[in-house]
Amino acid sequence: MIRVALPVHLRTLAGVGGELKLDAGDSPTQRALLDAIEAGYPMLRGTIRDQVTQRRRVLLRFFAGGRDLSNEPPDALLPPPVVAGTEIFFIVGAIAGG
Amino acid sequence: MSTVRILVGTRKGAFTLTSDGRRKRWDIAGPLFGGWEIYHLKGSPVDPNRIYASQSSGWFGQMIQRSNDGGKTWAAVGNKFAYDGIPGTHQWYDGTPHPWEFKRVWHLEPSLTDPDTVYAGVEDAALFRSADGGVTWGELPGLRGHGSGAHWAPGAGGMCLHTILLDPSQPGRIFIAISAAGAFRTDDGGKTWKPINRGLKSEHIPDPTAEVGHCVHRLAMHRSRPQVLFMQKHWDVMRSDDAGENWREVSGNLPSDFGFPIEVHAHEPETIYVVPIKSDAEHYPPDGKLRVYRSRTGGGEWEALTRGLPQRDCYVNVLREAMAVDSLDPCGVYFGTTGGQVYASADAGDNWVPIVHDLPAVVSVEVQTLP
């Protein structure tokens, strides 16, 4: 299972206290993972990526295993440690605003 | 005895302020949706327990929340606002074409007859409607497509559709206003629209009397007389007696005719309220005195209402959505400030008291008068 850590506002919105555990299929990509998040937690649709353009919201970033995955192609495979569940896929709000 | 419920949207969450009809003691609940910008909340006039809220964030985008129990519990409903067809472009600040991009919902206007039907005014300016309680949304594309849309340009606060007035006497008639395009009207439920800006004069645009391009801040009407409209424009307070076909200035003796909200007394259609602000460059009250101005003559002649309001060292603003009235007698008037105060008058503006002092900056105030 893939482990996902959400920012606090999205945890509140989704009604979850800790990390998500999701099955994103046999060859999980970033797109498949976001599809799985939105299927499991429909209230998060539009909060991580725009519903029309499907682009990541500009003030959110994706990290895992010490790497910034934010600008990886959406159909690239996720790193094996993320797929294996040994590394958490972090969705992080940018330090911005007031 | 009646209950008054004030729905307050702020930069960091929503609050409800509740009192009985005496309007002396208030229960304050919140924050709801803490940390999110709540541009607007509004209850259905048909079912006051049905309340819609616009919740947004620079990080996470737009959410629409719905309550079916008067605000005790909430559920996220639909938040997909897709422009109809290929959105095209409008003018950017520098006059160049800029793609239409959805940013947020500024205003939610529930139908006068159906609690499941609600309109949303959005930035970049467009009008959406849901007929299923906010689950799905569709644009009324005739507004952007009526011909002038490509020439609209944003005001400093963004290109927002902020006012939606539903005419209770003509079901197909809707008035809307956009900063900085102007006011528009449909008579066929949103299929076709026309600009209604004749008589407006805006010195800060290339053609001061242009058909579109005016920075209208707010429209107001009394439901008993929907052909009479009042407008707080960027500068100038205006009035129309023919459903927006023609406007005339009624700023009269105001100390400044710049401001944001405008509101009409619940029982006196000729009594209106504004909050003068010093200028477009200085968004605070003239002379550091927070004064509501009331006209009992539908504009032209204005009196300052100051009792209970700070009369020195006050430099807050009152935003366009942040004033409302209840329907009790005497009429209650309420407004919120960017300093986080919500003021109430239970006597039509003669005397004011702060209900709460230290909320986040107040963006919107709506009032429900409950039996």
Side-chain angles (χ1 to χ4, degrees), chain B residues 40-52 66 107-121 127-134 137 140 164-174 189 223 368:
Chain B
H40 196 219
L41 308 97
K42 194 158 188 181
S44 161
V46 186
D47 174 6
N49 283 327
R50 168 63 64 84
I51 303 173
Y52 296 96
R66 189 184 77 194
H107 184 100
L108 291 162
E109 188 67 32
S111 154
L112 301 175
T113 55
D114 173 18
D116 283 335
T117 296
V118 56
Y119 296 85
L127 183 64
F128 284 77
R129 178 172 58 197
S130 170
D132 55 11
W137 295 89
L140 301 178
I164 305 170
L165 296 176
L166 306 176
D167 187 328
S169 67
Q170 295 189 47
R173 176 170 280 185
I174 304 171
R223 57 178 291 116
Q368 294 181 288

Side-chain angles (χ1 to χ4, degrees), chain A residues 27-84:
Chain A
S27 302
T29 61
Q30 194 179 98
R31 187 193 307 277
L33 178 58
L34 295 178
D35 287 346
I37 293 172
E38 292 175 355
Y41 302 90
M43 69 289 285
L44 297 182
R45 287 179 188 153
T47 63
I48 301 169
R49 58 182 175 178
D50 185 274
Q51 292 195 82
V52 176
T53 66
Q54 295 289 294
R55 285 201 292 265
R56 171 180 53 81
R57 293 208 164 277
V58 292
L59 293 182
L60 294 187
R61 309 290 290 188
F62 304 147
F63 294 96
R67 285 180 56 210
D68 183 352
L69 306 177
S70 306
N71 295 315
E72 294 291 305
D75 292 319
L77 290 175
L78 292 170
V82 171
V83 178

Side-chain angles (χ1 to χ4, degrees), chain B residues 40 105-109 119-121 161-162 164 218 321 366:
Chain B
H40 196 219
V105 172
W106 279 67
H107 184 100
L108 291 162
E109 188 67 32
Y119 296 85
L161 194 162
H162 49 73
I164 305 170
R218 189 72 175 161
E321 295 272 16
E366 290 287 352

Side-chain angles (χ1 to χ4, degrees), chain B residues 169-191:
Chain B
S169 67
Q170 295 189 47
R173 176 170 280 185
I174 304 171
F175 303 93
I176 65 96
I178 296 167
S179 291
F184 298 81
R185 190 185 81 208
T186 177
D187 292 328
D188 56 15
K191 292 185 187 68

Side-chain angles (χ1 to χ4, degrees), chain B residues 119-322:
Chain B
Y119 296 85
V122 314
E123 177 187 355
D124 289 337
L127 183 64
F128 284 77
R129 178 172 58 197
S130 170
D132 55 11
V135 177
T136 60
W137 295 89
E139 188 189 2
L140 301 178
L143 175 60
R144 284 189 311 121
H146 86 92
S148 69
H151 303 290
W152 301 350
M159 198 171 78
C160 55
L161 194 162
H162 49 73
T163 298
I164 305 170
L165 296 176
L166 306 176
D167 187 328
S169 67
Q170 295 189 47
R173 176 170 280 185
I174 304 171
F175 303 93
I176 65 96
I178 296 167
S179 291
F184 298 81
R185 190 185 81 208
T186 177
D187 292 328
D188 56 15
K191 292 185 187 68
T192 60
W193 294 81
K194 61 182 285 190
I196 48 168
N197 301 303
R198 192 179 303 132
L200 306 188
K201 193 172 180 187
S202 301
E203 299 293 351
H204 56 281
I205 61 176
D207 175 2
T209 59
E211 186 178 44
V212 298
H214 302 275
C215 192
V216 176
H217 284 182
R218 189 72 175 161
L219 300 178
M221 72 152 70
H222 191 278
R223 57 178 291 116
S224 72
R225 216 177 46 171
Q227 79 280 9
V228 179
L229 300 175
F230 299 100
M231 173 192 293
Q232 173 67 68
K233 194 163 66 65
H234 193 81
W235 292 98
D236 302 334
V237 178
M238 309 293 292
R239 171 186 177 126
S240 169
D241 291 286
D242 52 10
E245 295 290 339
N246 297 280
W247 295 89
R248 61 186 169 89
E249 187 176 357
V250 292
S251 305
N253 59 326
L254 289 169
S256 165
D257 59 18
F258 186 91
F260 292 96
I262 187 164
E263 193 52 87
V264 186
H265 188 290
H267 313 296
E268 300 172 11
E270 286 289 288
T271 298
I272 56 177
Y273 301 88
V274 296
V275 183
I277 293 298
K278 186 177 179 186
S279 74
D280 52 359
E282 298 155 293
H283 283 191
Y284 46 74
D287 306 317
K289 300 175 179 179
L290 183 55
R291 290 167 291 185
V292 175
Y293 274 73
R294 178 174 62 195
S295 170
R296 293 189 184 278
T297 55
E301 296 294 324
W302 299 87
E303 57 179 322
L305 307 174
T306 61
R307 244 175 270 150
L309 298 176
Q311 295 305 297
R312 54 176 293 185
D313 306 326
C314 182
Y315 294 93
V316 298
N317 194 2
V318 180
L319 300 178
R320 72 188 80 219
E321 295 272 16

Side-chain angles (χ1 to χ4, degrees), chain B residues 18-64:
Chain B
T18 309
S19 176
D20 63 25
R22 285 186 289 269
R23 297 164 285 181
K24 299 284 188 195
R25 296 188 57 192
W26 294 86
D27 293 324
I28 298 163
L32 297 160
F33 324 119
W36 291 71
E37 291 186 304
I38 308 299
Y39 267 64
H40 196 219
L41 308 97
K42 194 158 188 181
S44 161
V46 186
D47 174 6
N49 283 327
R50 168 63 64 84
I51 303 173
Y52 296 96
S54 169
Q55 172 191 11
S56 66
S57 151
W59 289 266
F60 309 116
Q62 178 69 47
M63 304 294 298
I64 299 293

